[in-house]
Amino acid sequence: MTELLSQNEDTIVALATPPGIGAISVIRVSGPDSIDSVDKIFFGKKPLKDVSTHTIHYGKIIDSQNELIDDVLVSVFRLPNSYTGEDSVEISTHGSPIIVQKIISLLLEKNIRLAEPGEFTKRAFLNGRLDLAQAEAVADIINSNTEASLRGARNQLDGILSKKVDQLRELLVNTSSLIELELDFAEEDIEFMSLDEILTNINIIESEIDQLLSSYSFGRIIKDGVNVALVGKPNVGKSSLLNYLLKEARAIVSEIPGTTRDIIREELTIDGILFRLFDTAGIRKSYDVIEIEGVNRSREVVQNADIVLFLNDSTVGLSEDLLSELQELTDKERILTVANKIDISDTNDHRFDVRISAKTGEGMSLLFDAMKKKALGTKTYSEKSAIVSNIRHYDSLQKAKMHLISAKNSIQNRLTGEFIAVDLRNAENALGEIIGKVTSDDILNNIFSKFCIGK
Ligand SMILES: Nc1nc2c(ncn2[C@@H]2O[C@H](COP(=O)(O)OP(=O)(O)OP(=O)(O)O)[C@@H](O)[C@H]2O)c(=O)[nH]1
Ligand SMILES: [Mg+2]
């Protein structure tokens, strides 16, 4: 498959570094004509066609009018050990958009076309350099903005999820092929695997899938961050807490209830995890149209939050009416009930999960611990655990699980091997979608169109 694809593909070019002015820019070329084409505009000690793979060469880029465009460094990668699995060249130029534009135009005249978004990585996938989950991890790595999200994406690029999925697929393949073999020998009445053994295998696979599914809430939080709604009655200190966490006077704080009207959104990283904080209007009955709109927005934020940080004034006590309203708006498990202003008067009401002072900072580390625990759950994952962080993978795992359940039903209902085998094959295909053993053009286009050009 590798050779065929490499020979049929066009040669593509794109700027791989961010557009604009920089110290250097890197232009990436990949495909069967890449070395020959660059040779037509590059003049160094020797032609690139004569250099070995993974070497760097100094030379000049000169156009057809003999004009010097730039002196550059060119890296040459020959198939199959390049990023894309094809012959590739990377041209490092001075970081001027004009130089980049001129060099790309010269290459476009040499039987090369502009790359589509993600096309280099798509070729890496098609040429077997990466599986699909790993290719998706490349995008996640580029987009990661916290240490935790980078670590998660790295784990996926290293193939930890892929390996797990592949193992499960293999176990399914083995099981279903034995059932199919048995069908071929139906006349002879030979049993290759007992129904009990089949059932045991299915149960093993199903419980592994369950584990992967349950890692999703963790994986998603690691990758995308946590939405935290700061809610409560007016004047309890929501904006004061936001300001304390951000270490700046971001939101207006006053002793007048109803100070905050609009949603204020800010990001905060705690221990490498991204928390997206939403300060909201204090929830109360109001006759002011603007405040009413603000309160409506507060409720919306609650519904979309992963954590609802329900702040109370400890000098007043827990707002029971608001707590029951919040419990109707969101899952009870998401609510963190917090007492604020303990510098004035502390409380021993055991219904508070945490007690803090947004003024003195007392209790903050306990608040952070509670937020992390709410966000990540109590289950811990090691660096080597397979973790699902992509909704596409999650959906495929659920599909696989559904087919396994259907296979178990077939066994229980004493249906013939054909039925069980079909369910197992379907489950196998669903798992295959994750790593790209089974894919459609739609899936691929959908994944790679989200990449940037040049990746
Ligand atoms: N002593 C003390 N005062 C606090 C604390 N937190 C907030 N305050 C005061 O409480 C008042 C209200 O604080 P805000 O942060 O504006 O309260 P809010 O919940 O954002 O109020 P709204 O935006 O009106 O809903 C201000 O006068 C703050 O200085 C605290 O921990 N201790
Ligand atoms: Mg406020």
Side-chain angles (χ1 to χ4, degrees):
M1 173 174 148
T2 312
E3 279 77 9
L4 260 180
L5 277 164
S6 319
Q7 280 167 15
N8 290 333
E9 289 283 358
D10 319 336
T11 298
I12 53 175
V13 62
L15 175 64
T17 42
I21 295 170
I24 54 172
S25 292
V26 176
I27 297 166
R28 196 179 219 180
V29 188
S30 184
D33 290 333
S34 51
I35 295 173
D36 277 355
S37 301
V38 176
D39 251 341
K40 290 180 185 146
I41 61 166
F42 171 82
F43 298 89
K45 261 197 188 141
K46 54 178 173 177
L48 298 173
K49 70 173 178 20
D50 297 331
V51 307
S52 22
T53 184
H54 292 74
T55 53
I56 303 176
H57 307 274
Y58 172 78
K60 296 179 189 314
I61 301 281
I62 294 173
D63 72 9
S64 54
Q65 265 83 54
N66 243 346
E67 195 186 329
L68 171 68
I69 309 291
D70 196 12
D71 39 357
V72 299
L73 285 177
V74 168
S75 316
V76 174
F77 307 95
R78 295 184 185 277
L79 92 189
N81 291 322
S82 65
Y83 180 70
T84 54
E86 309 170 323
D87 283 346
S88 312
V89 178
E90 285 176 13
I91 308 171
S92 302
T93 72
H94 290 103
S96 139
I98 300 283
I99 293 175
V100 168
Q101 188 203 329
K102 283 196 169 179
I103 295 177
I104 290 182
S105 309
L106 284 179
L107 290 170
L108 292 177
E109 289 164 13
K110 307 280 182 256
N111 201 26
I112 293 181
R113 70 166 168 81
L114 273 181
E116 288 160 20
E119 195 169 4
F120 292 93
T121 307
K122 185 177 182 182
R123 288 182 176 200
F125 163 68
L126 292 172
N127 288 328
R129 302 285 295 161
L130 300 165
D131 67 40
L132 202 52
Q134 289 174 310
E136 288 169 303
V138 170
D140 293 345
I141 283 197
I142 295 171
N143 292 325
S144 62
N145 49 7
T146 60
E147 270 180 54
S149 60
L150 177 59
R151 240 181 285 127
R154 187 67 244 176
N155 166 306
Q156 192 174 317
L157 180 58
D158 289 343
I160 292 175
L161 174 68
S162 305
K163 215 185 277 164
K164 177 101 250 172
V165 169
D166 216 29
Q167 277 169 4
L168 298 180
R169 262 190 85 244
E170 216 150 275
L171 194 52
L172 273 171
V173 173
N174 290 344
T175 312
S176 56
S177 18
L178 284 180
I179 298 173
E180 280 159 11
L181 197 63
E182 199 170 305
L183 290 170
D184 290 342
F185 287 87
E187 320 254 293
E188 274 114 286
D189 208 20
I190 309 174
E191 191 180 72
F192 291 90
M193 196 184 248
S194 73
L195 278 181
D196 272 352
E197 281 172 292
I198 296 171
L199 205 58
T200 309
N201 279 356
I202 294 178
N203 282 330
I204 290 171
I205 299 165
E206 193 189 348
S207 88
E208 297 262 5
I209 287 180
D210 281 339
Q211 274 183 37
L212 288 173
L213 284 169
S214 71
S215 75
Y216 178 64
S217 58
F218 177 85
R220 190 186 67 82
I221 293 287
I222 288 296
K223 186 166 119 186
D224 300 331
V226 194
N227 291 337
V228 183
L230 297 177
V231 293
K233 286 269 166 77
N235 238 13
V236 296
K238 301 178 291 297
S239 302
S240 303
L241 176 58
L242 178 83
N243 290 349
Y244 182 89
L245 295 174
L246 297 175
K247 301 192 176 75
E248 62 168 304
R250 171 68 182 82
I252 300 173
V253 164
S254 84
E255 66 288 341
I256 305 164
T259 304
T260 306
R261 302 291 185 87
D262 246 339
I263 309 296
I264 300 175
R265 182 192 140 143
E266 286 295 334
E267 293 183 350
L268 172 75
T269 305
I270 304 174
D271 291 349
I273 301 160
L274 179 75
F275 288 90
R276 237 172 269 110
L277 307 172
F278 295 82
D279 182 19
T280 64
I283 296 177
R284 68 168 168 186
K285 193 153 182 54
S286 170
Y287 298 98
D288 176 314
V289 273
I290 299 172
E291 193 177 351
I292 291 171
E293 176 56 22
V295 171
N296 287 340
R297 289 183 187 195
S298 302
R299 294 197 171 97
E300 237 167 73
V301 170
V302 167
Q303 285 168 323
N304 294 320
D306 300 302
I307 298 178
V308 176
L309 207 157
F310 171 39
L311 209 57
N312 295 265
D313 185 333
S314 67
T315 63
V316 177
L318 182 83
S319 309
E320 294 180 30
D321 52 336
L322 186 48
L323 178 60
S324 41
E325 184 182 342
L326 292 176
Q327 285 172 341
E328 271 167 36
L329 289 172
T330 186
D331 180 358
K332 232 160 85 181
E333 292 301 309
R334 298 186 174 205
I335 302 174
L336 197 62
T337 308
V338 181
N340 186 33
K341 307 195 188 181
I342 59 167
D343 55 295
I344 307 177
S345 109
D346 206 345
T347 159
N348 54 15
D349 187 336
H350 62 272
R351 291 173 298 176
F352 287 118
D353 298 311
V354 191
R355 299 162 10 255
I356 59 163
S357 163
K359 190 174 174 188
T360 65
E362 206 183 330
M364 286 300 166
S365 64
L366 292 174
L367 177 66
F368 293 163
D369 289 346
M371 283 165 68
K372 277 192 311 190
K373 210 161 126 194
K374 270 264 181 279
L376 302 177
T378 44
K379 203 159 172 235
T380 52
Y381 294 89
S382 83
E383 301 251 313
K384 298 276 167 267
S385 311
I387 292 162
V388 177
S389 64
N390 182 314
I391 181 79
R392 190 182 74 78
H393 303 167
Y394 183 83
D395 287 345
S396 297
L397 286 165
Q398 273 201 319
K399 248 196 276 175
K401 182 182 159 91
M402 227 182 55
H403 292 301
L404 291 183
I405 291 172
S406 152
K408 288 205 289 191
N409 285 338
S410 303
I411 294 174
Q412 258 152 22
N413 297 329
R414 308 244 155 246
L415 297 181
T416 59
E418 278 113 334
F419 291 93
I420 306 166
V422 166
D423 287 328
L424 296 187
R425 287 285 174 203
N426 284 337
E428 176 197 327
N429 286 340
L431 292 181
E433 285 171 0
I434 296 172
I435 45 181
K437 294 249 180 203
V438 184
T439 86
S440 67
D441 277 353
D442 281 353
I443 296 182
L444 291 188
N445 290 338
N446 190 16
I447 290 172
F448 290 106
S449 62
K450 290 184 192 126
F451 275 63
C452 42
I453 291 187
K455 190 66 225 179

Coordinates of all heavy atoms in Angstrom, one line a residue, residues 152-212:
G152 N -1.2 14.5 27.6 CA -2.3 13.6 27.1 C -2.1 13.4 25.6 O -2.2 12.2 25.2
A153 N -1.8 14.4 24.9 CA -1.7 14.3 23.4 C -0.5 13.5 23.1 O -0.5 12.7 22.2 CB -1.6 15.7 22.8
R154 N 0.6 13.7 23.9 CA 1.9 13.0 23.7 C 1.6 11.5 23.9 O 2.1 10.6 23.1 CB 2.9 13.5 24.7 CG 4.3 13.1 24.6 CD 4.9 13.6 23.4 NE 5.3 12.4 22.5 CZ 5.8 12.6 21.3 NH1 6.0 13.7 20.8 NH2 6.1 11.5 20.6
N155 N 0.9 11.2 24.9 CA 0.5 9.8 25.3 C -0.2 9.1 24.1 O 0.1 8.0 23.7 CB -0.3 9.8 26.6 CG -1.0 8.6 26.9 OD1 -1.8 8.0 26.1 ND2 -0.8 8.1 28.1
Q156 N -1.1 9.9 23.5 CA -1.8 9.3 22.3 C -1.0 9.2 21.1 O -1.0 8.3 20.3 CB -3.0 10.2 22.0 CG -4.0 9.6 21.1 CD -5.3 10.5 20.9 OE1 -5.8 11.0 21.9 NE2 -5.7 10.7 19.7
L157 N -0.1 10.2 20.9 CA 0.8 10.1 19.7 C 1.8 9.0 19.9 O 2.2 8.3 18.9 CB 1.6 11.4 19.6 CG 2.6 11.5 18.4 CD1 1.9 11.3 17.1 CD2 3.3 12.8 18.3
D158 N 2.2 8.7 21.1 CA 3.1 7.5 21.4 C 2.3 6.2 21.1 O 3.0 5.1 21.2 CB 3.6 7.6 22.8 CG 4.6 8.7 23.0 OD1 5.1 9.2 21.9 OD2 4.9 9.1 24.1
G159 N 1.1 6.2 20.9 CA 0.3 5.0 20.5 C -0.2 4.2 21.7 O -0.5 3.0 21.5
I160 N -0.3 4.8 22.8 CA -0.8 4.0 24.0 C -2.2 3.6 23.8 O -2.6 2.5 24.0 CB -0.5 4.8 25.3 CG1 1.0 4.9 25.5 CG2 -1.2 4.1 26.5 CD1 1.5 5.7 26.7
L161 N -3.1 4.6 23.4 CA -4.5 4.2 23.1 C -4.6 3.3 22.0 O -5.3 2.3 22.0 CB -5.3 5.5 22.8 CG -6.7 5.3 22.4 CD1 -7.5 4.7 23.6 CD2 -7.4 6.5 21.9
S162 N -3.8 3.5 20.9 CA -3.9 2.7 19.7 C -3.5 1.2 20.0 O -4.2 0.3 19.5 CB -2.9 3.2 18.6 OG -3.1 4.5 18.4
K163 N -2.5 1.1 20.9 CA -2.1 -0.3 21.2 C -3.2 -1.1 21.9 O -3.5 -2.2 21.6 CB -0.8 -0.2 22.0 CG 0.2 -1.3 21.7 CD 1.4 -1.4 22.7 CE 2.5 -0.4 22.2 NZ 3.4 -0.1 23.3
K164 N -3.8 -0.4 22.9 CA -4.9 -1.0 23.6 C -6.0 -1.4 22.7 O -6.5 -2.5 22.7 CB -5.4 0.0 24.7 CG -6.5 -0.4 25.5 CD -6.0 -0.9 26.9 CE -6.2 -2.4 27.0 NZ -5.5 -2.9 28.2
V165 N -6.4 -0.4 21.8 CA -7.5 -0.7 20.9 C -7.2 -1.9 20.0 O -8.0 -2.7 19.7 CB -7.9 0.6 20.1 CG1 -8.8 0.3 19.0 CG2 -8.5 1.6 21.0
D166 N -5.9 -1.9 19.5 CA -5.5 -2.9 18.6 C -5.5 -4.3 19.3 O -5.9 -5.3 18.7 CB -4.1 -2.6 18.1 CG -3.9 -3.1 16.7 OD1 -5.0 -3.1 15.9 OD2 -2.8 -3.4 16.3
Q167 N -5.2 -4.3 20.6 CA -5.2 -5.6 21.3 C -6.6 -6.1 21.4 O -6.9 -7.3 21.2 CB -4.7 -5.4 22.8 CG -3.2 -5.4 23.0 CD -2.9 -4.9 24.4 OE1 -3.7 -4.7 25.2 NE2 -1.6 -4.8 24.6
L168 N -7.6 -5.2 21.7 CA -9.0 -5.6 21.8 C -9.5 -6.1 20.5 O -10.2 -7.1 20.4 CB -9.8 -4.5 22.3 CG -9.5 -4.0 23.7 CD1 -10.3 -2.8 24.1 CD2 -9.5 -5.1 24.7
R169 N -9.1 -5.4 19.4 CA -9.5 -5.8 18.1 C -9.0 -7.2 17.8 O -9.7 -8.1 17.3 CB -8.9 -4.9 17.0 CG -9.8 -3.8 16.6 CD -9.3 -3.1 15.4 NE -9.6 -3.8 14.1 CZ -8.7 -4.3 13.3 NH1 -7.4 -4.2 13.6 NH2 -9.1 -4.9 12.2
E170 N -7.7 -7.5 18.1 CA -7.2 -8.8 17.9 C -7.9 -9.9 18.6 O -8.2 -10.9 18.0 CB -5.7 -8.8 18.3 CG -4.8 -9.6 17.4 CD -3.4 -9.0 17.4 OE1 -3.2 -8.0 16.6 OE2 -2.6 -9.4 18.2
L171 N -8.2 -9.7 19.8 CA -9.0 -10.7 20.6 C -10.3 -10.9 19.9 O -10.8 -12.1 19.8 CB -9.2 -10.2 22.0 CG -9.6 -11.2 23.1 CD1 -8.8 -12.4 23.1 CD2 -9.6 -10.5 24.5
L172 N -10.9 -9.9 19.4 CA -12.2 -10.0 18.7 C -12.1 -10.8 17.4 O -12.8 -11.7 17.1 CB -12.8 -8.6 18.3 CG -13.7 -8.0 19.4 CD1 -14.0 -6.6 19.0 CD2 -14.9 -8.8 19.6
V173 N -11.0 -10.5 16.7 CA -10.7 -11.2 15.4 C -10.5 -12.7 15.7 O -11.1 -13.5 15.0 CB -9.5 -10.6 14.7 CG1 -9.1 -11.4 13.5 CG2 -9.7 -9.1 14.3
N174 N -9.7 -13.0 16.7 CA -9.5 -14.4 17.0 C -10.8 -15.1 17.3 O -11.0 -16.2 16.8 CB -8.5 -14.5 18.2 CG -7.1 -14.1 17.9 OD1 -6.8 -13.9 16.7 ND2 -6.3 -13.8 18.9
T175 N -11.6 -14.5 18.1 CA -12.8 -15.1 18.6 C -13.8 -15.3 17.4 O -14.3 -16.4 17.2 CB -13.5 -14.2 19.6 OG1 -12.6 -13.9 20.6 CG2 -14.7 -15.0 20.3
S176 N -13.9 -14.2 16.6 CA -14.9 -14.4 15.5 C -14.4 -15.3 14.4 O -15.2 -16.0 13.8 CB -15.3 -13.0 14.9 OG -14.2 -12.3 14.5
S177 N -13.1 -15.4 14.2 CA -12.6 -16.3 13.2 C -12.8 -17.8 13.6 O -13.1 -18.6 12.8 CB -11.2 -16.1 12.7 OG -10.5 -15.3 13.6
L178 N -12.7 -18.0 14.9 CA -12.9 -19.4 15.3 C -14.4 -19.8 15.2 O -14.7 -20.9 14.7 CB -12.5 -19.6 16.8 CG -11.0 -19.7 17.1 CD1 -10.7 -19.8 18.5 CD2 -10.4 -20.9 16.3
I179 N -15.3 -18.8 15.4 CA -16.7 -19.1 15.2 C -17.0 -19.3 13.7 O -17.7 -20.2 13.4 CB -17.6 -17.9 15.7 CG1 -17.4 -17.7 17.2 CG2 -19.0 -18.1 15.4 CD1 -18.0 -16.4 17.8
E180 N -16.3 -18.5 12.9 CA -16.6 -18.6 11.4 C -16.0 -20.0 10.9 O -16.6 -20.6 10.1 CB -15.9 -17.5 10.7 CG -16.9 -16.2 10.7 CD -16.2 -14.9 10.5 OE1 -15.0 -14.9 10.0 OE2 -16.8 -13.9 10.7
L181 N -14.8 -20.3 11.5 CA -14.2 -21.6 11.1 C -15.2 -22.8 11.5 O -15.4 -23.7 10.7 CB -12.9 -21.8 11.9 CG -11.9 -22.8 11.3 CD1 -11.5 -22.4 9.9 CD2 -10.7 -22.9 12.2
E182 N -15.8 -22.6 12.6 CA -16.7 -23.7 13.1 C -17.9 -23.8 12.2 O -18.3 -24.9 11.9 CB -17.1 -23.3 14.5 CG -17.7 -24.4 15.3 CD -17.9 -24.0 16.8 OE1 -16.9 -23.5 17.4 OE2 -19.0 -24.1 17.2
L183 N -18.3 -22.6 11.7 CA -19.5 -22.7 10.7 C -19.1 -23.4 9.5 O -19.9 -24.1 8.9 CB -19.9 -21.2 10.4 CG -20.6 -20.4 11.5 CD1 -20.7 -19.0 11.1 CD2 -21.9 -21.1 11.9
D184 N -17.8 -23.2 9.0 CA -17.4 -24.0 7.8 C -17.4 -25.5 8.0 O -17.5 -26.2 7.1 CB -15.9 -23.5 7.5 CG -15.9 -22.1 6.9 OD1 -17.0 -21.6 6.6 OD2 -14.8 -21.5 6.9
F185 N -17.2 -25.9 9.3 CA -17.1 -27.3 9.6 C -18.4 -27.8 10.2 O -18.4 -28.8 10.9 CB -16.0 -27.6 10.5 CG -14.6 -27.5 9.8 CD1 -14.0 -26.3 9.7 CD2 -14.0 -28.7 9.3 CE1 -12.7 -26.2 9.1 CE2 -12.8 -28.6 8.6 CZ -12.1 -27.3 8.5
A186 N -19.5 -27.0 9.9 CA -20.8 -27.3 10.6 C -21.2 -28.8 10.5 O -21.7 -29.4 11.5 CB -21.9 -26.4 10.1
E187 N -21.0 -29.3 9.3 CA -21.4 -30.7 9.1 C -20.7 -31.7 10.0 O -21.3 -32.6 10.5 CB -21.1 -31.1 7.6 CG -21.3 -30.0 6.6 CD -22.5 -30.3 5.8 OE1 -22.5 -31.3 5.0 OE2 -23.5 -29.6 5.9
E188 N -19.4 -31.4 10.2 CA -18.6 -32.3 11.1 C -18.9 -32.2 12.6 O -18.4 -33.0 13.3 CB -17.1 -32.1 10.8 CG -16.6 -32.9 9.6 CD -16.2 -32.0 8.5 OE1 -17.1 -31.4 7.8 OE2 -15.0 -31.9 8.3
D189 N -19.5 -31.1 12.9 CA -19.9 -30.9 14.3 C -18.6 -30.8 15.2 O -18.5 -31.4 16.3 CB -20.7 -32.1 14.8 CG -21.6 -31.6 16.0 OD1 -21.8 -30.4 16.1 OD2 -22.1 -32.4 16.7
I190 N -17.6 -30.0 14.7 CA -16.4 -29.8 15.5 C -16.6 -28.4 16.3 O -17.1 -27.5 15.7 CB -15.2 -29.6 14.7 CG1 -15.1 -30.8 13.7 CG2 -13.9 -29.5 15.5 CD1 -13.9 -30.7 12.7
E191 N -16.2 -28.4 17.5 CA -16.3 -27.2 18.3 C -14.9 -26.6 18.5 O -14.0 -27.3 19.1 CB -17.0 -27.4 19.6 CG -17.4 -26.1 20.3 CD -18.0 -26.4 21.6 OE1 -17.4 -26.8 22.6 OE2 -19.3 -26.1 21.7
F192 N -14.6 -25.4 18.0 CA -13.3 -24.8 18.2 C -13.2 -24.0 19.4 O -12.2 -23.8 20.0 CB -13.0 -23.9 17.0 CG -12.7 -24.7 15.7 CD1 -13.8 -25.0 14.8 CD2 -11.5 -25.1 15.4 CE1 -13.6 -25.7 13.7 CE2 -11.2 -25.8 14.2 CZ -12.3 -26.1 13.4
M193 N -14.3 -23.4 19.8 CA -14.3 -22.6 21.0 C -15.7 -22.8 21.6 O -16.7 -22.6 20.9 CB -14.1 -21.2 20.6 CG -13.7 -20.3 21.8 SD -13.5 -18.6 21.3 CE -11.8 -18.3 21.5
S194 N -15.7 -23.1 22.9 CA -17.1 -23.3 23.5 C -17.8 -21.9 23.7 O -17.1 -20.9 23.8 CB -16.9 -23.9 24.9 OG -16.4 -23.0 25.8
L195 N -19.1 -22.0 23.8 CA -19.8 -20.8 24.1 C -19.4 -20.0 25.3 O -19.3 -18.8 25.4 CB -21.3 -21.1 24.2 CG -22.1 -21.2 22.8 CD1 -23.5 -21.5 23.1 CD2 -21.9 -20.0 21.9
D196 N -19.0 -20.9 26.3 CA -18.5 -20.3 27.6 C -17.2 -19.5 27.3 O -17.1 -18.4 27.8 CB -18.2 -21.4 28.6 CG -19.4 -21.7 29.4 OD1 -20.4 -20.9 29.2 OD2 -19.4 -22.7 30.2
E197 N -16.4 -20.0 26.5 CA -15.1 -19.3 26.2 C -15.4 -18.0 25.4 O -14.8 -17.0 25.7 CB -14.2 -20.2 25.4 CG -13.4 -21.2 26.2 CD -12.7 -22.2 25.3 OE1 -13.4 -23.0 24.6 OE2 -11.4 -22.2 25.3
I198 N -16.3 -18.2 24.5 CA -16.7 -17.0 23.7 C -17.2 -15.9 24.6 O -16.8 -14.7 24.6 CB -17.7 -17.3 22.6 CG1 -17.1 -18.3 21.6 CG2 -18.2 -16.0 21.9 CD1 -18.2 -18.8 20.7
L199 N -18.1 -16.3 25.5 CA -18.7 -15.3 26.4 C -17.6 -14.7 27.3 O -17.6 -13.5 27.6 CB -19.7 -16.1 27.3 CG -20.8 -15.2 27.9 CD1 -21.6 -14.5 26.8 CD2 -21.8 -16.1 28.7
T200 N -16.7 -15.5 27.8 CA -15.6 -15.0 28.6 C -14.8 -13.9 27.9 O -14.5 -12.8 28.4 CB -14.6 -16.1 29.1 OG1 -15.4 -17.2 29.6 CG2 -13.6 -15.6 30.1
N201 N -14.5 -14.2 26.6 CA -13.7 -13.3 25.8 C -14.5 -12.0 25.6 O -14.0 -10.9 25.8 CB -13.4 -13.8 24.4 CG -12.2 -14.7 24.4 OD1 -11.6 -14.9 25.5 ND2 -11.9 -15.4 23.3
I202 N -15.8 -12.1 25.3 CA -16.6 -10.9 25.1 C -16.6 -10.1 26.4 O -16.5 -8.9 26.4 CB -18.0 -11.3 24.7 CG1 -18.0 -11.9 23.3 CG2 -18.9 -10.1 24.7 CD1 -19.3 -12.4 22.8
N203 N -16.8 -10.8 27.5 CA -16.8 -10.0 28.8 C -15.5 -9.3 29.1 O -15.5 -8.2 29.6 CB -17.2 -11.0 30.0 CG -18.7 -11.3 30.0 OD1 -19.5 -10.4 29.6 ND2 -19.0 -12.4 30.4
I204 N -14.4 -10.0 28.8 CA -13.1 -9.3 29.0 C -13.0 -8.0 28.1 O -12.7 -7.0 28.6 CB -11.9 -10.3 28.6 CG1 -11.8 -11.4 29.6 CG2 -10.6 -9.5 28.5 CD1 -10.9 -12.5 29.2
I205 N -13.4 -8.2 26.8 CA -13.3 -7.0 25.9 C -14.2 -5.9 26.4 O -13.9 -4.8 26.4 CB -13.6 -7.5 24.5 CG1 -12.6 -8.5 24.0 CG2 -13.6 -6.3 23.6 CD1 -13.0 -9.2 22.8
E206 N -15.4 -6.3 26.8 CA -16.4 -5.3 27.2 C -15.9 -4.5 28.4 O -16.0 -3.3 28.5 CB -17.7 -6.0 27.5 CG -18.9 -5.0 27.6 CD -20.2 -5.6 28.1 OE1 -20.3 -6.8 28.2 OE2 -21.0 -4.8 28.5
S207 N -15.3 -5.3 29.4 CA -14.9 -4.5 30.6 C -13.7 -3.6 30.3 O -13.6 -2.5 30.8 CB -14.6 -5.5 31.7 OG -13.3 -5.9 31.7
E208 N -12.9 -4.0 29.3 CA -11.8 -3.1 28.9 C -12.3 -1.9 28.2 O -11.8 -0.8 28.4 CB -10.8 -3.8 27.9 CG -10.1 -5.0 28.5 CD -8.7 -4.7 29.0 OE1 -8.3 -3.5 28.9 OE2 -8.0 -5.6 29.5
I209 N -13.4 -2.1 27.4 CA -14.0 -1.0 26.7 C -14.6 0.0 27.7 O -14.5 1.2 27.7 CB -15.0 -1.5 25.7 CG1 -14.3 -2.1 24.5 CG2 -16.0 -0.3 25.2 CD1 -15.2 -2.6 23.4
D210 N -15.3 -0.6 28.8 CA -15.9 0.2 29.8 C -14.8 1.1 30.5 O -15.1 2.2 30.8 CB -16.5 -0.7 30.9 CG -17.9 -1.2 30.4 OD1 -18.5 -0.5 29.5 OD2 -18.4 -2.2 30.9
Q211 N -13.6 0.5 30.7 CA -12.6 1.3 31.3 C -12.2 2.5 30.5 O -12.0 3.6 30.9 CB -11.4 0.4 31.6 CG -11.4 -0.3 32.9 CD -10.2 -1.1 33.2 OE1 -9.1 -0.7 32.8 NE2 -10.3 -2.3 33.8
L212 N -12.1 2.2 29.1 CA -11.7 3.3 28.2 C -12.8 4.3 28.2 O -12.5 5.5 28.3 CB -11.5 2.7 26.8 CG -10.2 1.9 26.6 CD1 -10.2 1.3 25.2 CD2 -9.0 2.8 26.8

